[in-house]
Structures are given as structure tokens and as C-alpha cells.
Amino acid sequence: MAWDLRREDRRTFRVDRIRPRTPTGPRFAPRGLPGGTVSTFLTSRFRDNDGATTGWPREGEVILRPPAADAAPFTQDGIVEGLGSRHRRLVLGSWSWTGLAAAVGRSDTDIEVVGPPRPATAFGNLATRYAHAAIGLIEAASAGQRAGRGGLAFRRYSWVTSVQ
């Protein structure tokens, strides 16, 4: 990572693309790094922040109802806290409310939104999108079966292809 004089900002560079130049040019005064460490700075920039803070632009809190081991693979860099034997609090961040809802939805468990209210709206929007996708697939399968070409059937929460 280095200061780019042309952009007047910090940049990261791939090591395999850096070529030494002789002479190296004038000496420079080191600049302070926002956030204090390279890790904090890069995490902050990745999350579209100012370089000094590492929080996500959108953060939400939900209650999940699986065992902690079942929820762990889906929490990414979220914080999981046990709330007894059957509930887990998850605080997770994302670039958007929809992205946050989709990430939580991967946990394949019952979800209760604690706050803020915006993730609940995002869950509703995703549910509508998924329902439209499912209806389209069911209609296509139904039309295929009527024509005698086989189709798709919805069984036990998973799509099964049937060929005749």
C-alpha cells in the first residue's frame, strides 16, 4: 500500500506488478495511516468507509433458532451470541439491506429481526422475489407436464426434476 501522488489517495499494489526504478526519486515524509493499521485501513476501504472505521454501511441484528454450530458457517464476520440452548443472536453487516437479508437467509433457519426495521423490509422484498421465481417455475413445470414432456415437482422444500 502506498500514497499515489496523482490520485492524492492511498492505493494498494500487486507485488508481482511492482518493478524497481532507478533512481527511486526524492525522499518523502511518511504519512499517517487512517485507522492506525494496514488491516483496519483495508477493511474500512473494502466496506466503503473513510479508512479509519471498520463497520459496515448497514448492520442488523437477528435471532436465529439453530444450534450455534449449525449457524456458524453462515455468519461470515458477524458476531454470534448464545441466548440459551435454542436461540442465537447474530449481528451482521453488509453493503445493503438486501445483501444482509440474503446472507442471513443462507442460514436455513427461523429468523426474527431485532433491529433496525429495514432488514425486515428487505426480507419481505426477497420473499416476494423468491415467490415470483417459484411461481414461474411451477407454471413452467405444469405446462410441461400437460404437454407430456415431464417437468419439475416441488417436494419437501427442494426441487426435483422428473423426466418421462
Side-chain angles (χ1 to χ4, degrees), residues 131-158:
H132 285 288
I135 289 168
L137 191 56
I138 290 168
E139 289 172 353
S142 180
Q145 286 180 344
R146 282 193 303 267
R149 295 189 307 255
L152 299 176
F154 188 66
R155 295 187 191 145
R156 293 185 179 232
Y157 305 106
S158 62

mmCIF file with all atom_site columns, all heavy atoms in Angstrom, residues 131-158:
data_model
loop_
_atom_site.group_PDB
_atom_site.id
_atom_site.type_symbol
_atom_site.label_atom_id
_atom_site.label_alt_id
_atom_site.label_comp_id
_atom_site.label_asym_id
_atom_site.label_entity_id
_atom_site.label_seq_id
_atom_site.pdbx_PDB_ins_code
_atom_site.Cartn_x
_atom_site.Cartn_y
_atom_site.Cartn_z
_atom_site.occupancy
_atom_site.B_iso_or_equiv
_atom_site.pdbx_formal_charge
_atom_site.auth_seq_id
_atom_site.auth_comp_id
_atom_site.auth_asym_id
_atom_site.auth_atom_id
_atom_site.pdbx_PDB_model_num
ATOM 1   N N   . ALA A 1 131 ? -40.808 -15.854 -4.254  1.00 0.00 ? 131 ALA A N   1
ATOM 2   C CA  . ALA A 1 131 ? -42.141 -16.396 -4.544  1.00 0.00 ? 131 ALA A CA  1
ATOM 3   C C   . ALA A 1 131 ? -42.450 -16.273 -6.033  1.00 0.00 ? 131 ALA A C   1
ATOM 4   O O   . ALA A 1 131 ? -42.978 -17.206 -6.645  1.00 0.00 ? 131 ALA A O   1
ATOM 5   C CB  . ALA A 1 131 ? -43.202 -15.686 -3.710  1.00 0.00 ? 131 ALA A CB  1
ATOM 6   N N   . HIS A 1 132 ? -42.119 -15.130 -6.640  1.00 0.00 ? 132 HIS A N   1
ATOM 7   C CA  . HIS A 1 132 ? -42.342 -14.956 -8.085  1.00 0.00 ? 132 HIS A CA  1
ATOM 8   C C   . HIS A 1 132 ? -41.519 -15.963 -8.887  1.00 0.00 ? 132 HIS A C   1
ATOM 9   O O   . HIS A 1 132 ? -41.999 -16.519 -9.873  1.00 0.00 ? 132 HIS A O   1
ATOM 10  C CB  . HIS A 1 132 ? -42.013 -13.522 -8.521  1.00 0.00 ? 132 HIS A CB  1
ATOM 11  C CG  . HIS A 1 132 ? -43.039 -12.525 -8.121  1.00 0.00 ? 132 HIS A CG  1
ATOM 12  N ND1 . HIS A 1 132 ? -44.276 -12.437 -8.708  1.00 0.00 ? 132 HIS A ND1 1
ATOM 13  C CD2 . HIS A 1 132 ? -43.008 -11.568 -7.167  1.00 0.00 ? 132 HIS A CD2 1
ATOM 14  C CE1 . HIS A 1 132 ? -44.970 -11.473 -8.143  1.00 0.00 ? 132 HIS A CE1 1
ATOM 15  N NE2 . HIS A 1 132 ? -44.223 -10.933 -7.193  1.00 0.00 ? 132 HIS A NE2 1
ATOM 16  N N   . ALA A 1 133 ? -40.292 -16.192 -8.459  1.00 0.00 ? 133 ALA A N   1
ATOM 17  C CA  . ALA A 1 133 ? -39.448 -17.168 -9.154  1.00 0.00 ? 133 ALA A CA  1
ATOM 18  C C   . ALA A 1 133 ? -40.041 -18.569 -9.033  1.00 0.00 ? 133 ALA A C   1
ATOM 19  O O   . ALA A 1 133 ? -40.079 -19.328 -10.005 1.00 0.00 ? 133 ALA A O   1
ATOM 20  C CB  . ALA A 1 133 ? -38.031 -17.141 -8.584  1.00 0.00 ? 133 ALA A CB  1
ATOM 21  N N   . ALA A 1 134 ? -40.523 -18.911 -7.848  1.00 0.00 ? 134 ALA A N   1
ATOM 22  C CA  . ALA A 1 134 ? -41.114 -20.231 -7.633  1.00 0.00 ? 134 ALA A CA  1
ATOM 23  C C   . ALA A 1 134 ? -42.394 -20.396 -8.439  1.00 0.00 ? 134 ALA A C   1
ATOM 24  O O   . ALA A 1 134 ? -42.626 -21.444 -9.046  1.00 0.00 ? 134 ALA A O   1
ATOM 25  C CB  . ALA A 1 134 ? -41.382 -20.451 -6.150  1.00 0.00 ? 134 ALA A CB  1
ATOM 26  N N   . ILE A 1 135 ? -43.224 -19.365 -8.472  1.00 0.00 ? 135 ILE A N   1
ATOM 27  C CA  . ILE A 1 135 ? -44.479 -19.433 -9.235  1.00 0.00 ? 135 ILE A CA  1
ATOM 28  C C   . ILE A 1 135 ? -44.182 -19.637 -10.714 1.00 0.00 ? 135 ILE A C   1
ATOM 29  O O   . ILE A 1 135 ? -44.809 -20.453 -11.374 1.00 0.00 ? 135 ILE A O   1
ATOM 30  C CB  . ILE A 1 135 ? -45.335 -18.175 -8.996  1.00 0.00 ? 135 ILE A CB  1
ATOM 31  C CG1 . ILE A 1 135 ? -45.887 -18.204 -7.568  1.00 0.00 ? 135 ILE A CG1 1
ATOM 32  C CG2 . ILE A 1 135 ? -46.462 -18.070 -10.017 1.00 0.00 ? 135 ILE A CG2 1
ATOM 33  C CD1 . ILE A 1 135 ? -46.500 -16.893 -7.124  1.00 0.00 ? 135 ILE A CD1 1
ATOM 34  N N   . GLY A 1 136 ? -43.197 -18.915 -11.229 1.00 0.00 ? 136 GLY A N   1
ATOM 35  C CA  . GLY A 1 136 ? -42.825 -19.081 -12.636 1.00 0.00 ? 136 GLY A CA  1
ATOM 36  C C   . GLY A 1 136 ? -42.355 -20.488 -12.930 1.00 0.00 ? 136 GLY A C   1
ATOM 37  O O   . GLY A 1 136 ? -42.694 -21.079 -13.955 1.00 0.00 ? 136 GLY A O   1
ATOM 38  N N   . LEU A 1 137 ? -41.588 -21.065 -12.018 1.00 0.00 ? 137 LEU A N   1
ATOM 39  C CA  . LEU A 1 137 ? -41.089 -22.420 -12.209 1.00 0.00 ? 137 LEU A CA  1
ATOM 40  C C   . LEU A 1 137 ? -42.223 -23.438 -12.125 1.00 0.00 ? 137 LEU A C   1
ATOM 41  O O   . LEU A 1 137 ? -42.289 -24.371 -12.914 1.00 0.00 ? 137 LEU A O   1
ATOM 42  C CB  . LEU A 1 137 ? -40.014 -22.727 -11.161 1.00 0.00 ? 137 LEU A CB  1
ATOM 43  C CG  . LEU A 1 137 ? -39.210 -23.995 -11.362 1.00 0.00 ? 137 LEU A CG  1
ATOM 44  C CD1 . LEU A 1 137 ? -38.538 -24.002 -12.730 1.00 0.00 ? 137 LEU A CD1 1
ATOM 45  C CD2 . LEU A 1 137 ? -38.159 -24.116 -10.280 1.00 0.00 ? 137 LEU A CD2 1
ATOM 46  N N   . ILE A 1 138 ? -43.133 -23.234 -11.178 1.00 0.00 ? 138 ILE A N   1
ATOM 47  C CA  . ILE A 1 138 ? -44.281 -24.140 -11.043 1.00 0.00 ? 138 ILE A CA  1
ATOM 48  C C   . ILE A 1 138 ? -45.158 -24.076 -12.291 1.00 0.00 ? 138 ILE A C   1
ATOM 49  O O   . ILE A 1 138 ? -45.600 -25.102 -12.812 1.00 0.00 ? 138 ILE A O   1
ATOM 50  C CB  . ILE A 1 138 ? -45.085 -23.800 -9.772  1.00 0.00 ? 138 ILE A CB  1
ATOM 51  C CG1 . ILE A 1 138 ? -44.271 -24.173 -8.536  1.00 0.00 ? 138 ILE A CG1 1
ATOM 52  C CG2 . ILE A 1 138 ? -46.430 -24.517 -9.765  1.00 0.00 ? 138 ILE A CG2 1
ATOM 53  C CD1 . ILE A 1 138 ? -44.840 -23.628 -7.236  1.00 0.00 ? 138 ILE A CD1 1
ATOM 54  N N   . GLU A 1 139 ? -45.393 -22.855 -12.803 1.00 0.00 ? 139 GLU A N   1
ATOM 55  C CA  . GLU A 1 139 ? -46.198 -22.709 -14.022 1.00 0.00 ? 139 GLU A CA  1
ATOM 56  C C   . GLU A 1 139 ? -45.524 -23.386 -15.210 1.00 0.00 ? 139 GLU A C   1
ATOM 57  O O   . GLU A 1 139 ? -46.175 -24.054 -16.004 1.00 0.00 ? 139 GLU A O   1
ATOM 58  C CB  . GLU A 1 139 ? -46.459 -21.235 -14.307 1.00 0.00 ? 139 GLU A CB  1
ATOM 59  C CG  . GLU A 1 139 ? -47.421 -20.601 -13.324 1.00 0.00 ? 139 GLU A CG  1
ATOM 60  C CD  . GLU A 1 139 ? -47.523 -19.091 -13.485 1.00 0.00 ? 139 GLU A CD  1
ATOM 61  O OE1 . GLU A 1 139 ? -46.747 -18.500 -14.275 1.00 0.00 ? 139 GLU A OE1 1
ATOM 62  O OE2 . GLU A 1 139 ? -48.380 -18.498 -12.808 1.00 0.00 ? 139 GLU A OE2 1
ATOM 63  N N   . ALA A 1 140 ? -44.214 -23.232 -15.328 1.00 0.00 ? 140 ALA A N   1
ATOM 64  C CA  . ALA A 1 140 ? -43.484 -23.863 -16.437 1.00 0.00 ? 140 ALA A CA  1
ATOM 65  C C   . ALA A 1 140 ? -43.536 -25.383 -16.308 1.00 0.00 ? 140 ALA A C   1
ATOM 66  O O   . ALA A 1 140 ? -43.724 -26.090 -17.300 1.00 0.00 ? 140 ALA A O   1
ATOM 67  C CB  . ALA A 1 140 ? -42.031 -23.382 -16.450 1.00 0.00 ? 140 ALA A CB  1
ATOM 68  N N   . ALA A 1 141 ? -43.388 -25.896 -15.111 1.00 0.00 ? 141 ALA A N   1
ATOM 69  C CA  . ALA A 1 141 ? -43.448 -27.339 -14.903 1.00 0.00 ? 141 ALA A CA  1
ATOM 70  C C   . ALA A 1 141 ? -44.835 -27.864 -15.206 1.00 0.00 ? 141 ALA A C   1
ATOM 71  O O   . ALA A 1 141 ? -44.993 -28.915 -15.830 1.00 0.00 ? 141 ALA A O   1
ATOM 72  C CB  . ALA A 1 141 ? -43.053 -27.672 -13.466 1.00 0.00 ? 141 ALA A CB  1
ATOM 73  N N   . SER A 1 142 ? -45.833 -27.118 -14.779 1.00 0.00 ? 142 SER A N   1
ATOM 74  C CA  . SER A 1 142 ? -47.216 -27.524 -15.015 1.00 0.00 ? 142 SER A CA  1
ATOM 75  C C   . SER A 1 142 ? -47.504 -27.575 -16.515 1.00 0.00 ? 142 SER A C   1
ATOM 76  O O   . SER A 1 142 ? -48.121 -28.515 -17.013 1.00 0.00 ? 142 SER A O   1
ATOM 77  C CB  . SER A 1 142 ? -48.150 -26.552 -14.311 1.00 0.00 ? 142 SER A CB  1
ATOM 78  O OG  . SER A 1 142 ? -49.478 -26.907 -14.510 1.00 0.00 ? 142 SER A OG  1
ATOM 79  N N   . ALA A 1 143 ? -47.040 -26.586 -17.254 1.00 0.00 ? 143 ALA A N   1
ATOM 80  C CA  . ALA A 1 143 ? -47.250 -26.565 -18.707 1.00 0.00 ? 143 ALA A CA  1
ATOM 81  C C   . ALA A 1 143 ? -46.516 -27.729 -19.365 1.00 0.00 ? 143 ALA A C   1
ATOM 82  O O   . ALA A 1 143 ? -47.023 -28.356 -20.290 1.00 0.00 ? 143 ALA A O   1
ATOM 83  C CB  . ALA A 1 143 ? -46.762 -25.235 -19.287 1.00 0.00 ? 143 ALA A CB  1
ATOM 84  N N   . GLY A 1 144 ? -45.319 -28.059 -18.890 1.00 0.00 ? 144 GLY A N   1
ATOM 85  C CA  . GLY A 1 144 ? -44.552 -29.169 -19.447 1.00 0.00 ? 144 GLY A CA  1
ATOM 86  C C   . GLY A 1 144 ? -45.217 -30.503 -19.193 1.00 0.00 ? 144 GLY A C   1
ATOM 87  O O   . GLY A 1 144 ? -45.250 -31.372 -20.054 1.00 0.00 ? 144 GLY A O   1
ATOM 88  N N   . GLN A 1 145 ? -45.802 -30.675 -18.014 1.00 0.00 ? 145 GLN A N   1
ATOM 89  C CA  . GLN A 1 145 ? -46.478 -31.937 -17.703 1.00 0.00 ? 145 GLN A CA  1
ATOM 90  C C   . GLN A 1 145 ? -47.750 -32.097 -18.521 1.00 0.00 ? 145 GLN A C   1
ATOM 91  O O   . GLN A 1 145 ? -48.080 -33.185 -18.954 1.00 0.00 ? 145 GLN A O   1
ATOM 92  C CB  . GLN A 1 145 ? -46.782 -32.023 -16.209 1.00 0.00 ? 145 GLN A CB  1
ATOM 93  C CG  . GLN A 1 145 ? -45.534 -32.305 -15.396 1.00 0.00 ? 145 GLN A CG  1
ATOM 94  C CD  . GLN A 1 145 ? -45.815 -32.393 -13.914 1.00 0.00 ? 145 GLN A CD  1
ATOM 95  O OE1 . GLN A 1 145 ? -46.858 -31.967 -13.439 1.00 0.00 ? 145 GLN A OE1 1
ATOM 96  N NE2 . GLN A 1 145 ? -44.864 -32.947 -13.177 1.00 0.00 ? 145 GLN A NE2 1
ATOM 97  N N   . ARG A 1 146 ? -48.464 -30.988 -18.748 1.00 0.00 ? 146 ARG A N   1
ATOM 98  C CA  . ARG A 1 146 ? -49.674 -31.056 -19.572 1.00 0.00 ? 146 ARG A CA  1
ATOM 99  C C   . ARG A 1 146 ? -49.330 -31.463 -20.996 1.00 0.00 ? 146 ARG A C   1
ATOM 100 O O   . ARG A 1 146 ? -50.095 -32.128 -21.668 1.00 0.00 ? 146 ARG A O   1
ATOM 101 C CB  . ARG A 1 146 ? -50.405 -29.711 -19.568 1.00 0.00 ? 146 ARG A CB  1
ATOM 102 C CG  . ARG A 1 146 ? -51.200 -29.479 -18.298 1.00 0.00 ? 146 ARG A CG  1
ATOM 103 C CD  . ARG A 1 146 ? -52.151 -28.305 -18.458 1.00 0.00 ? 146 ARG A CD  1
ATOM 104 N NE  . ARG A 1 146 ? -51.475 -27.071 -18.836 1.00 0.00 ? 146 ARG A NE  1
ATOM 105 C CZ  . ARG A 1 146 ? -51.032 -26.154 -17.985 1.00 0.00 ? 146 ARG A CZ  1
ATOM 106 N NH1 . ARG A 1 146 ? -51.178 -26.338 -16.697 1.00 0.00 ? 146 ARG A NH1 1
ATOM 107 N NH2 . ARG A 1 146 ? -50.446 -25.075 -18.407 1.00 0.00 ? 146 ARG A NH2 1
ATOM 108 N N   . ALA A 1 147 ? -48.151 -31.070 -21.466 1.00 0.00 ? 147 ALA A N   1
ATOM 109 C CA  . ALA A 1 147 ? -47.741 -31.403 -22.826 1.00 0.00 ? 147 ALA A CA  1
ATOM 110 C C   . ALA A 1 147 ? -47.095 -32.793 -22.882 1.00 0.00 ? 147 ALA A C   1
ATOM 111 O O   . ALA A 1 147 ? -46.677 -33.227 -23.942 1.00 0.00 ? 147 ALA A O   1
ATOM 112 C CB  . ALA A 1 147 ? -46.763 -30.356 -23.351 1.00 0.00 ? 147 ALA A CB  1
ATOM 113 N N   . GLY A 1 148 ? -46.969 -33.460 -21.728 1.00 0.00 ? 148 GLY A N   1
ATOM 114 C CA  . GLY A 1 148 ? -46.393 -34.802 -21.708 1.00 0.00 ? 148 GLY A CA  1
ATOM 115 C C   . GLY A 1 148 ? -44.882 -34.836 -21.802 1.00 0.00 ? 148 GLY A C   1
ATOM 116 O O   . GLY A 1 148 ? -44.302 -35.836 -22.190 1.00 0.00 ? 148 GLY A O   1
ATOM 117 N N   . ARG A 1 149 ? -44.212 -33.717 -21.467 1.00 0.00 ? 149 ARG A N   1
ATOM 118 C CA  . ARG A 1 149 ? -42.751 -33.652 -21.574 1.00 0.00 ? 149 ARG A CA  1
ATOM 119 C C   . ARG A 1 149 ? -42.053 -33.803 -20.232 1.00 0.00 ? 149 ARG A C   1
ATOM 120 O O   . ARG A 1 149 ? -40.871 -33.561 -20.130 1.00 0.00 ? 149 ARG A O   1
ATOM 121 C CB  . ARG A 1 149 ? -42.347 -32.309 -22.180 1.00 0.00 ? 149 ARG A CB  1
ATOM 122 C CG  . ARG A 1 149 ? -42.808 -32.130 -23.606 1.00 0.00 ? 149 ARG A CG  1
ATOM 123 C CD  . ARG A 1 149 ? -42.188 -30.890 -24.208 1.00 0.00 ? 149 ARG A CD  1
ATOM 124 N NE  . ARG A 1 149 ? -42.421 -29.710 -23.387 1.00 0.00 ? 149 ARG A NE  1
ATOM 125 C CZ  . ARG A 1 149 ? -43.292 -28.747 -23.662 1.00 0.00 ? 149 ARG A CZ  1
ATOM 126 N NH1 . ARG A 1 149 ? -44.038 -28.823 -24.726 1.00 0.00 ? 149 ARG A NH1 1
ATOM 127 N NH2 . ARG A 1 149 ? -43.417 -27.705 -22.873 1.00 0.00 ? 149 ARG A NH2 1
ATOM 128 N N   . GLY A 1 150 ? -42.736 -34.170 -19.190 1.00 0.00 ? 150 GLY A N   1
ATOM 129 C CA  . GLY A 1 150 ? -42.098 -34.191 -17.871 1.00 0.00 ? 150 GLY A CA  1
ATOM 130 C C   . GLY A 1 150 ? -42.114 -32.790 -17.307 1.00 0.00 ? 150 GLY A C   1
ATOM 131 O O   . GLY A 1 150 ? -42.736 -31.890 -17.853 1.00 0.00 ? 150 GLY A O   1
ATOM 132 N N   . GLY A 1 151 ? -41.460 -32.594 -16.238 1.00 0.00 ? 151 GLY A N   1
ATOM 133 C CA  . GLY A 1 151 ? -41.439 -31.266 -15.646 1.00 0.00 ? 151 GLY A CA  1
ATOM 134 C C   . GLY A 1 151 ? -40.747 -31.287 -14.304 1.00 0.00 ? 151 GLY A C   1
ATOM 135 O O   . GLY A 1 151 ? -39.958 -32.166 -14.021 1.00 0.00 ? 151 GLY A O   1
ATOM 136 N N   . LEU A 1 152 ? -41.073 -30.311 -13.488 1.00 0.00 ? 152 LEU A N   1
ATOM 137 C CA  . LEU A 1 152 ? -40.474 -30.198 -12.168 1.00 0.00 ? 152 LEU A CA  1
ATOM 138 C C   . LEU A 1 152 ? -41.561 -30.330 -11.119 1.00 0.00 ? 152 LEU A C   1
ATOM 139 O O   . LEU A 1 152 ? -42.676 -29.873 -11.314 1.00 0.00 ? 152 LEU A O   1
ATOM 140 C CB  . LEU A 1 152 ? -39.782 -28.841 -12.005 1.00 0.00 ? 152 LEU A CB  1
ATOM 141 C CG  . LEU A 1 152 ? -38.653 -28.549 -12.965 1.00 0.00 ? 152 LEU A CG  1
ATOM 142 C CD1 . LEU A 1 152 ? -38.144 -27.142 -12.752 1.00 0.00 ? 152 LEU A CD1 1
ATOM 143 C CD2 . LEU A 1 152 ? -37.514 -29.523 -12.776 1.00 0.00 ? 152 LEU A CD2 1
ATOM 144 N N   . ALA A 1 153 ? -41.224 -30.945 -10.013 1.00 0.00 ? 153 ALA A N   1
ATOM 145 C CA  . ALA A 1 153 ? -42.170 -31.064 -8.916  1.00 0.00 ? 153 ALA A CA  1
ATOM 146 C C   . ALA A 1 153 ? -41.509 -30.529 -7.650  1.00 0.00 ? 153 ALA A C   1
ATOM 147 O O   . ALA A 1 153 ? -40.309 -30.677 -7.455  1.00 0.00 ? 153 ALA A O   1
ATOM 148 C CB  . ALA A 1 153 ? -42.568 -32.520 -8.725  1.00 0.00 ? 153 ALA A CB  1
ATOM 149 N N   . PHE A 1 154 ? -42.301 -29.906 -6.822  1.00 0.00 ? 154 PHE A N   1
ATOM 150 C CA  . PHE A 1 154 ? -41.805 -29.342 -5.571  1.00 0.00 ? 154 PHE A CA  1
ATOM 151 C C   . PHE A 1 154 ? -42.122 -30.325 -4.449  1.00 0.00 ? 154 PHE A C   1
ATOM 152 O O   . PHE A 1 154 ? -43.270 -30.591 -4.167  1.00 0.00 ? 154 PHE A O   1
ATOM 153 C CB  . PHE A 1 154 ? -42.482 -27.993 -5.318  1.00 0.00 ? 154 PHE A CB  1
ATOM 154 C CG  . PHE A 1 154 ? -41.913 -27.242 -4.172  1.00 0.00 ? 154 PHE A CG  1
ATOM 155 C CD1 . PHE A 1 154 ? -40.619 -26.767 -4.220  1.00 0.00 ? 154 PHE A CD1 1
ATOM 156 C CD2 . PHE A 1 154 ? -42.669 -27.007 -3.037  1.00 0.00 ? 154 PHE A CD2 1
ATOM 157 C CE1 . PHE A 1 154 ? -40.090 -26.053 -3.161  1.00 0.00 ? 154 PHE A CE1 1
ATOM 158 C CE2 . PHE A 1 154 ? -42.147 -26.306 -1.980  1.00 0.00 ? 154 PHE A CE2 1
ATOM 159 C CZ  . PHE A 1 154 ? -40.858 -25.819 -2.036  1.00 0.00 ? 154 PHE A CZ  1
ATOM 160 N N   . ARG A 1 155 ? -41.082 -30.939 -3.856  1.00 0.00 ? 155 ARG A N   1
ATOM 161 C CA  . ARG A 1 155 ? -41.285 -31.910 -2.795  1.00 0.00 ? 155 ARG A CA  1
ATOM 162 C C   . ARG A 1 155 ? -40.360 -31.614 -1.627  1.00 0.00 ? 155 ARG A C   1
ATOM 163 O O   . ARG A 1 155 ? -39.158 -31.481 -1.817  1.00 0.00 ? 155 ARG A O   1
ATOM 164 C CB  . ARG A 1 155 ? -40.980 -33.317 -3.303  1.00 0.00 ? 155 ARG A CB  1
ATOM 165 C CG  . ARG A 1 155 ? -41.929 -33.762 -4.369  1.00 0.00 ? 155 ARG A CG  1
ATOM 166 C CD  . ARG A 1 155 ? -41.674 -35.213 -4.707  1.00 0.00 ? 155 ARG A CD  1
ATOM 167 N NE  . ARG A 1 155 ? -42.437 -35.495 -5.916  1.00 0.00 ? 155 ARG A NE  1
ATOM 168 C CZ  . ARG A 1 155 ? -42.034 -36.300 -6.856  1.00 0.00 ? 155 ARG A CZ  1
ATOM 169 N NH1 . ARG A 1 155 ? -40.888 -36.917 -6.754  1.00 0.00 ? 155 ARG A NH1 1
ATOM 170 N NH2 . ARG A 1 155 ? -42.782 -36.506 -7.910  1.00 0.00 ? 155 ARG A NH2 1
ATOM 171 N N   . ARG A 1 156 ? -40.921 -31.549 -0.449  1.00 0.00 ? 156 ARG A N   1
ATOM 172 C CA  . ARG A 1 156 ? -40.159 -31.377 0.786   1.00 0.00 ? 156 ARG A CA  1
ATOM 173 C C   . ARG A 1 156 ? -39.140 -30.248 0.701   1.00 0.00 ? 156 ARG A C   1
ATOM 174 O O   . ARG A 1 156 ? -37.971 -30.425 1.023   1.00 0.00 ? 156 ARG A O   1
ATOM 175 C CB  . ARG A 1 156 ? -39.464 -32.658 1.181   1.00 0.00 ? 156 ARG A CB  1
ATOM 176 C CG  . ARG A 1 156 ? -40.424 -33.732 1.577   1.00 0.00 ? 156 ARG A CG  1
ATOM 177 C CD  . ARG A 1 156 ? -39.649 -34.917 2.076   1.00 0.00 ? 156 ARG A CD  1
ATOM 178 N NE  . ARG A 1 156 ? -40.593 -35.930 2.484   1.00 0.00 ? 156 ARG A NE  1
ATOM 179 C CZ  . ARG A 1 156 ? -40.558 -36.506 3.653   1.00 0.00 ? 156 ARG A CZ  1
ATOM 180 N NH1 . ARG A 1 156 ? -39.656 -36.198 4.513   1.00 0.00 ? 156 ARG A NH1 1
ATOM 181 N NH2 . ARG A 1 156 ? -41.454 -37.408 3.948   1.00 0.00 ? 156 ARG A NH2 1
ATOM 182 N N   . TYR A 1 157 ? -39.552 -29.099 0.217   1.00 0.00 ? 157 TYR A N   1
ATOM 183 C CA  . TYR A 1 157 ? -38.731 -27.896 0.180   1.00 0.00 ? 157 TYR A CA  1
ATOM 184 C C   . TYR A 1 157 ? -37.534 -27.991 -0.751  1.00 0.00 ? 157 TYR A C   1
ATOM 185 O O   . TYR A 1 157 ? -36.578 -27.274 -0.620  1.00 0.00 ? 157 TYR A O   1
ATOM 186 C CB  . TYR A 1 157 ? -38.245 -27.497 1.576   1.00 0.00 ? 157 TYR A CB  1
ATOM 187 C CG  . TYR A 1 157 ? -39.363 -27.330 2.552   1.00 0.00 ? 157 TYR A CG  1
ATOM 188 C CD1 . TYR A 1 157 ? -39.585 -28.272 3.537   1.00 0.00 ? 157 TYR A CD1 1
ATOM 189 C CD2 . TYR A 1 157 ? -40.220 -26.247 2.459   1.00 0.00 ? 157 TYR A CD2 1
ATOM 190 C CE1 . TYR A 1 157 ? -40.631 -28.127 4.435   1.00 0.00 ? 157 TYR A CE1 1
ATOM 191 C CE2 . TYR A 1 157 ? -41.278 -26.101 3.351   1.00 0.00 ? 157 TYR A CE2 1
ATOM 192 C CZ  . TYR A 1 157 ? -41.474 -27.038 4.342   1.00 0.00 ? 157 TYR A CZ  1
ATOM 193 O OH  . TYR A 1 157 ? -42.492 -26.895 5.212   1.00 0.00 ? 157 TYR A OH  1
ATOM 194 N N   . SER A 1 158 ? -37.555 -28.896 -1.698  1.00 0.00 ? 158 SER A N   1
ATOM 195 C CA  . SER A 1 158 ? -36.467 -28.927 -2.679  1.00 0.00 ? 158 SER A CA  1
ATOM 196 C C   . SER A 1 158 ? -37.048 -29.264 -4.045  1.00 0.00 ? 158 SER A C   1
ATOM 197 O O   . SER A 1 158 ? -38.060 -29.955 -4.155  1.00 0.00 ? 158 SER A O   1
ATOM 198 C CB  . SER A 1 158 ? -35.393 -29.960 -2.292  1.00 0.00 ? 158 SER A CB  1
ATOM 199 O OG  . SER A 1 158 ? -35.953 -31.244 -2.275  1.00 0.00 ? 158 SER A OG  1
#
